mmCIF file of all heavy atoms in Angstrom:
data_model
loop_
_atom_site.group_PDB
_atom_site.id
_atom_site.type_symbol
_atom_site.label_atom_id
_atom_site.label_comp_id
_atom_site.label_asym_id
_atom_site.label_seq_id
_atom_site.Cartn_x
_atom_site.Cartn_y
_atom_site.Cartn_z
ATOM 1 N N ALA R 3 -3.157 8.876 9.588
ATOM 2 C CA ALA R 3 -2.367 9.321 8.318
ATOM 3 C C ALA R 3 -2.200 8.136 7.411
ATOM 4 O O ALA R 3 -2.519 8.406 6.070
ATOM 5 C CB ALA R 3 -0.988 9.772 8.699
ATOM 6 N N LEU R 4 -1.981 6.935 7.783
ATOM 7 C CA LEU R 4 -1.901 5.818 6.917
ATOM 8 C C LEU R 4 -3.233 5.390 6.186
ATOM 9 O O LEU R 4 -3.160 5.072 5.023
ATOM 10 C CB LEU R 4 -1.255 4.520 7.618
ATOM 11 C CG LEU R 4 0.138 4.743 8.188
ATOM 12 C CD1 LEU R 4 0.439 3.410 8.922
ATOM 13 C CD2 LEU R 4 1.111 4.898 7.044
ATOM 14 N N VAL R 5 -4.296 5.561 6.938
ATOM 15 C CA VAL R 5 -5.522 5.189 6.345
ATOM 16 C C VAL R 5 -5.867 6.135 5.189
ATOM 17 O O VAL R 5 -6.499 5.817 4.175
ATOM 18 C CB VAL R 5 -6.623 5.311 7.376
ATOM 19 C CG1 VAL R 5 -8.075 5.407 6.853
ATOM 20 C CG2 VAL R 5 -6.687 4.130 8.356
ATOM 21 N N ASN R 6 -5.510 7.424 5.400
ATOM 22 C CA ASN R 6 -5.868 8.492 4.438
ATOM 23 C C ASN R 6 -4.861 8.570 3.141
ATOM 24 O O ASN R 6 -5.199 9.174 2.223
ATOM 25 C CB ASN R 6 -6.110 9.742 5.086
ATOM 26 C CG ASN R 6 -7.329 9.924 5.841
ATOM 27 O OD1 ASN R 6 -8.365 10.224 5.243
ATOM 28 N ND2 ASN R 6 -7.318 9.479 7.144
ATOM 29 N N ILE R 7 -3.809 7.970 3.236
ATOM 30 C CA ILE R 7 -2.875 7.959 2.107
ATOM 31 C C ILE R 7 -2.633 6.754 1.381
ATOM 32 O O ILE R 7 -1.901 6.751 0.457
ATOM 33 C CB ILE R 7 -1.469 8.550 2.614
ATOM 34 C CG1 ILE R 7 -0.746 7.635 3.510
ATOM 35 C CG2 ILE R 7 -1.767 9.967 3.169
ATOM 36 C CD1 ILE R 7 0.594 8.200 3.977
ATOM 37 N N SER R 8 -3.084 5.711 1.954
ATOM 38 C CA SER R 8 -2.805 4.277 1.374
ATOM 39 C C SER R 8 -3.733 4.002 0.212
ATOM 40 O O SER R 8 -3.587 4.378 -1.092
ATOM 41 C CB SER R 8 -2.719 3.236 2.205
ATOM 42 O OG SER R 8 -3.939 3.108 3.105
ATOM 43 N N LYS R 9 -4.952 3.331 0.529
ATOM 44 C CA LYS R 9 -5.847 2.916 -0.498
ATOM 45 C C LYS R 9 -6.516 3.993 -1.222
ATOM 46 O O LYS R 9 -6.698 3.851 -2.524
ATOM 47 C CB LYS R 9 -6.891 1.932 0.073
ATOM 48 C CG LYS R 9 -6.330 0.540 0.307
ATOM 49 C CD LYS R 9 -7.469 -0.442 0.495
ATOM 50 C CE LYS R 9 -7.149 -1.904 0.368
ATOM 51 N NZ LYS R 9 -8.132 -2.861 0.732
ATOM 52 N N ALA R 10 -6.887 5.036 -0.561
ATOM 53 C CA ALA R 10 -7.552 6.147 -1.334
ATOM 54 C C ALA R 10 -6.766 6.715 -2.373
ATOM 55 O O ALA R 10 -7.343 7.300 -3.297
ATOM 56 C CB ALA R 10 -7.992 7.154 -0.226
ATOM 57 N N ALA R 11 -5.350 6.618 -2.231
ATOM 58 C CA ALA R 11 -4.597 7.278 -3.234
ATOM 59 C C ALA R 11 -4.110 6.353 -4.356
ATOM 60 O O ALA R 11 -3.622 6.692 -5.373
ATOM 61 C CB ALA R 11 -3.203 7.792 -2.581
ATOM 62 N N ALA R 12 -4.507 5.056 -4.268
ATOM 63 C CA ALA R 12 -4.043 3.977 -5.171
ATOM 64 C C ALA R 12 -4.456 4.296 -6.600
ATOM 65 O O ALA R 12 -3.636 4.097 -7.583
ATOM 66 C CB ALA R 12 -4.603 2.644 -4.818
ATOM 67 N N PRO R 13 -5.686 4.664 -7.008
ATOM 68 C CA PRO R 13 -5.942 5.030 -8.355
ATOM 69 C C PRO R 13 -5.127 6.110 -9.036
ATOM 70 O O PRO R 13 -4.991 6.195 -10.219
ATOM 71 C CB PRO R 13 -7.573 5.257 -8.282
ATOM 72 C CG PRO R 13 -7.923 4.766 -7.114
ATOM 73 C CD PRO R 13 -6.792 4.860 -6.052
ATOM 74 N N MET R 14 -4.658 7.003 -8.214
ATOM 75 C CA MET R 14 -3.942 8.182 -8.719
ATOM 76 C C MET R 14 -2.493 8.031 -8.697
ATOM 77 O O MET R 14 -1.845 8.641 -9.652
ATOM 78 C CB MET R 14 -4.315 9.435 -7.757
ATOM 79 C CG MET R 14 -5.743 9.850 -7.869
ATOM 80 S SD MET R 14 -6.220 11.103 -6.655
ATOM 81 C CE MET R 14 -6.139 10.237 -5.070
ATOM 82 N N ILE R 15 -1.907 7.418 -7.682
ATOM 83 C CA ILE R 15 -0.488 7.153 -7.605
ATOM 84 C C ILE R 15 -0.154 5.783 -7.312
ATOM 85 O O ILE R 15 0.222 5.285 -6.229
ATOM 86 C CB ILE R 15 0.151 8.016 -6.471
ATOM 87 C CG1 ILE R 15 -0.770 8.057 -5.330
ATOM 88 C CG2 ILE R 15 0.431 9.407 -7.019
ATOM 89 C CD1 ILE R 15 -0.192 8.808 -4.055
ATOM 90 N N PRO R 16 -0.428 4.827 -8.414
ATOM 91 C CA PRO R 16 -0.281 3.417 -8.238
ATOM 92 C C PRO R 16 0.946 2.878 -7.690
ATOM 93 O O PRO R 16 1.028 1.900 -7.017
ATOM 94 C CB PRO R 16 -0.711 2.936 -9.586
ATOM 95 C CG PRO R 16 -0.412 3.933 -10.497
ATOM 96 C CD PRO R 16 -0.674 5.341 -9.816
ATOM 97 N N PHE R 17 2.112 3.435 -8.306
ATOM 98 C CA PHE R 17 3.324 2.784 -7.882
ATOM 99 C C PHE R 17 3.783 3.153 -6.427
ATOM 100 O O PHE R 17 4.205 2.255 -5.725
ATOM 101 C CB PHE R 17 4.406 3.257 -8.867
ATOM 102 C CG PHE R 17 4.203 2.879 -10.268
ATOM 103 C CD1 PHE R 17 3.730 3.865 -11.254
ATOM 104 C CD2 PHE R 17 4.147 1.539 -10.751
ATOM 105 C CE1 PHE R 17 3.468 3.574 -12.506
ATOM 106 C CE2 PHE R 17 3.930 1.210 -11.979
ATOM 107 C CZ PHE R 17 3.465 2.237 -12.949
ATOM 108 N N MET R 18 3.446 4.405 -5.944
ATOM 109 C CA MET R 18 3.942 4.616 -4.686
ATOM 110 C C MET R 18 3.099 3.975 -3.660
ATOM 111 O O MET R 18 3.526 3.489 -2.619
ATOM 112 C CB MET R 18 3.777 6.279 -4.424
ATOM 113 C CG MET R 18 4.819 7.163 -5.075
ATOM 114 S SD MET R 18 4.694 8.784 -4.699
ATOM 115 C CE MET R 18 6.010 9.433 -5.651
ATOM 116 N N THR R 19 1.740 3.896 -3.907
ATOM 117 C CA THR R 19 0.806 3.224 -2.954
ATOM 118 C C THR R 19 1.201 1.669 -2.920
ATOM 119 O O THR R 19 0.971 1.029 -1.956
ATOM 120 C CB THR R 19 -0.688 3.478 -3.302
ATOM 121 O OG1 THR R 19 -0.769 3.123 -4.729
ATOM 122 C CG2 THR R 19 -1.054 4.870 -2.953
ATOM 123 N N GLU R 20 1.678 1.134 -4.047
ATOM 124 C CA GLU R 20 1.911 -0.251 -4.126
ATOM 125 C C GLU R 20 3.215 -0.573 -3.171
ATOM 126 O O GLU R 20 3.216 -1.496 -2.429
ATOM 127 C CB GLU R 20 2.357 -0.727 -5.571
ATOM 128 C CG GLU R 20 2.709 -2.157 -5.760
ATOM 129 C CD GLU R 20 1.559 -3.197 -5.389
ATOM 130 O OE1 GLU R 20 0.443 -2.774 -5.513
ATOM 131 O OE2 GLU R 20 1.867 -4.242 -4.975
ATOM 132 N N GLU R 21 4.105 0.317 -3.242
ATOM 133 C CA GLU R 21 5.243 0.200 -2.363
ATOM 134 C C GLU R 21 4.968 0.352 -0.857
ATOM 135 O O GLU R 21 5.417 -0.412 -0.067
ATOM 136 C CB GLU R 21 6.334 1.335 -2.688
ATOM 137 C CG GLU R 21 7.608 1.263 -1.800
ATOM 138 C CD GLU R 21 8.662 2.224 -2.144
ATOM 139 O OE1 GLU R 21 8.350 3.028 -3.248
ATOM 140 O OE2 GLU R 21 9.714 2.379 -1.542
ATOM 141 N N ILE R 22 4.074 1.232 -0.480
ATOM 142 C CA ILE R 22 3.561 1.338 0.872
ATOM 143 C C ILE R 22 2.887 0.076 1.207
ATOM 144 O O ILE R 22 2.950 -0.544 2.313
ATOM 145 C CB ILE R 22 2.541 2.577 1.027
ATOM 146 C CG1 ILE R 22 3.169 3.810 0.771
ATOM 147 C CG2 ILE R 22 1.803 2.552 2.369
ATOM 148 C CD1 ILE R 22 2.371 5.104 0.693
ATOM 149 N N TYR R 23 2.014 -0.489 0.349
ATOM 150 C CA TYR R 23 1.284 -1.723 0.674
ATOM 151 C C TYR R 23 2.176 -2.825 0.791
ATOM 152 O O TYR R 23 1.983 -3.622 1.895
ATOM 153 C CB TYR R 23 0.304 -2.021 -0.542
ATOM 154 C CG TYR R 23 -0.529 -3.309 -0.499
ATOM 155 C CD1 TYR R 23 -1.565 -3.451 0.393
ATOM 156 C CD2 TYR R 23 -0.063 -4.414 -1.167
ATOM 157 C CE1 TYR R 23 -2.286 -4.588 0.518
ATOM 158 C CE2 TYR R 23 -0.801 -5.667 -0.979
ATOM 159 C CZ TYR R 23 -1.823 -5.754 -0.228
ATOM 160 O OH TYR R 23 -2.586 -6.911 -0.041
ATOM 161 N N GLN R 24 3.226 -2.990 -0.007
ATOM 162 C CA GLN R 24 4.136 -4.118 0.148
ATOM 163 C C GLN R 24 4.921 -4.011 1.561
ATOM 164 O O GLN R 24 5.209 -4.985 2.184
ATOM 165 C CB GLN R 24 5.087 -4.161 -1.049
ATOM 166 C CG GLN R 24 4.521 -4.369 -2.266
ATOM 167 C CD GLN R 24 3.892 -5.788 -2.448
ATOM 168 O OE1 GLN R 24 4.271 -6.744 -1.853
ATOM 169 N NE2 GLN R 24 2.801 -5.856 -3.228
ATOM 170 N N ASN R 25 5.284 -2.807 1.912
ATOM 171 C CA ASN R 25 6.016 -2.592 3.063
ATOM 172 C C ASN R 25 5.148 -2.801 4.386
ATOM 173 O O ASN R 25 5.601 -3.347 5.319
ATOM 174 C CB ASN R 25 6.718 -1.190 3.130
ATOM 175 C CG ASN R 25 7.781 -1.144 2.079
ATOM 176 O OD1 ASN R 25 8.426 -2.004 1.706
ATOM 177 N ND2 ASN R 25 8.045 0.123 1.688
ATOM 178 N N LEU R 26 3.861 -2.304 4.285
ATOM 179 C CA LEU R 26 3.080 -2.361 5.478
ATOM 180 C C LEU R 26 2.331 -3.690 5.670
ATOM 181 O O LEU R 26 2.094 -4.080 6.745
ATOM 182 C CB LEU R 26 2.048 -1.178 5.428
ATOM 183 C CG LEU R 26 2.618 0.251 5.715
ATOM 184 C CD1 LEU R 26 1.619 1.309 5.519
ATOM 185 C CD2 LEU R 26 3.171 0.246 7.176
ATOM 186 N N VAL R 27 1.839 -4.216 4.547
ATOM 187 C CA VAL R 27 0.904 -5.299 4.619
ATOM 188 C C VAL R 27 1.592 -6.595 4.208
ATOM 189 O O VAL R 27 1.655 -7.567 5.031
ATOM 190 C CB VAL R 27 -0.229 -5.134 3.658
ATOM 191 C CG1 VAL R 27 -1.223 -6.298 3.724
ATOM 192 C CG2 VAL R 27 -0.956 -3.823 4.119
ATOM 193 N N ARG R 28 2.270 -6.745 2.988
ATOM 194 C CA ARG R 28 2.720 -7.989 2.502
ATOM 195 C C ARG R 28 3.927 -8.458 3.309
ATOM 196 O O ARG R 28 4.120 -9.589 3.406
ATOM 197 C CB ARG R 28 3.047 -7.863 1.028
ATOM 198 C CG ARG R 28 1.945 -7.779 0.061
ATOM 199 C CD ARG R 28 1.345 -9.073 -0.104
ATOM 200 N NE ARG R 28 2.273 -9.946 -0.976
ATOM 201 C CZ ARG R 28 2.129 -11.288 -1.143
ATOM 202 N NH1 ARG R 28 1.078 -11.903 -0.709
ATOM 203 N NH2 ARG R 28 3.040 -11.848 -1.837
ATOM 204 N N SER R 29 4.692 -7.494 3.922
ATOM 205 C CA SER R 29 5.929 -7.913 4.667
ATOM 206 C C SER R 29 5.312 -8.587 6.051
ATOM 207 O O SER R 29 6.201 -9.368 6.600
ATOM 208 C CB SER R 29 6.677 -6.581 5.044
ATOM 209 O OG SER R 29 5.975 -5.715 5.742
ATOM 210 N N ILE R 30 4.119 -8.326 6.367
ATOM 211 C CA ILE R 30 3.636 -8.885 7.699
ATOM 212 C C ILE R 30 2.683 -10.062 7.474
ATOM 213 O O ILE R 30 2.554 -11.016 8.171
ATOM 214 C CB ILE R 30 3.135 -7.816 8.604
ATOM 215 C CG1 ILE R 30 4.274 -6.764 9.027
ATOM 216 C CG2 ILE R 30 2.474 -8.410 9.714
ATOM 217 C CD1 ILE R 30 3.668 -5.667 9.637
ATOM 218 N N ASP R 31 1.893 -9.830 6.426
ATOM 219 C CA ASP R 31 0.827 -10.858 6.081
ATOM 220 C C ASP R 31 1.000 -11.414 4.658
ATOM 221 O O ASP R 31 0.448 -10.873 3.675
ATOM 222 C CB ASP R 31 -0.516 -10.092 6.067
ATOM 223 C CG ASP R 31 -1.690 -11.113 5.879
ATOM 224 O OD1 ASP R 31 -1.445 -12.425 5.892
ATOM 225 O OD2 ASP R 31 -2.811 -10.690 5.857
ATOM 226 N N PRO R 32 1.765 -12.438 4.390
ATOM 227 C CA PRO R 32 2.046 -13.075 3.197
ATOM 228 C C PRO R 32 0.810 -13.531 2.514
ATOM 229 O O PRO R 32 0.765 -13.646 1.177
ATOM 230 C CB PRO R 32 2.982 -14.196 3.490
ATOM 231 C CG PRO R 32 3.524 -13.841 4.805
ATOM 232 C CD PRO R 32 2.644 -13.218 5.660
ATOM 233 N N SER R 33 -0.291 -13.820 3.247
ATOM 234 C CA SER R 33 -1.484 -14.263 2.691
ATOM 235 C C SER R 33 -2.374 -13.205 1.943
ATOM 236 O O SER R 33 -3.388 -13.455 1.407
ATOM 237 C CB SER R 33 -2.341 -15.064 3.728
ATOM 238 O OG SER R 33 -2.805 -14.121 4.743
ATOM 239 N N ALA R 34 -1.916 -11.912 2.208
ATOM 240 C CA ALA R 34 -2.786 -10.839 1.708
ATOM 241 C C ALA R 34 -2.615 -10.821 0.138
ATOM 242 O O ALA R 34 -1.643 -11.486 -0.434
ATOM 243 C CB ALA R 34 -2.255 -9.493 2.194
#
């Protein structure tokens, strides 16, 4: 589910996918 709703959706819904990215990736990997 996450693979199919995160990056693929970024061009269409930039703000929501940014929030997902910050919660899933940046919160765990600060070097991202």
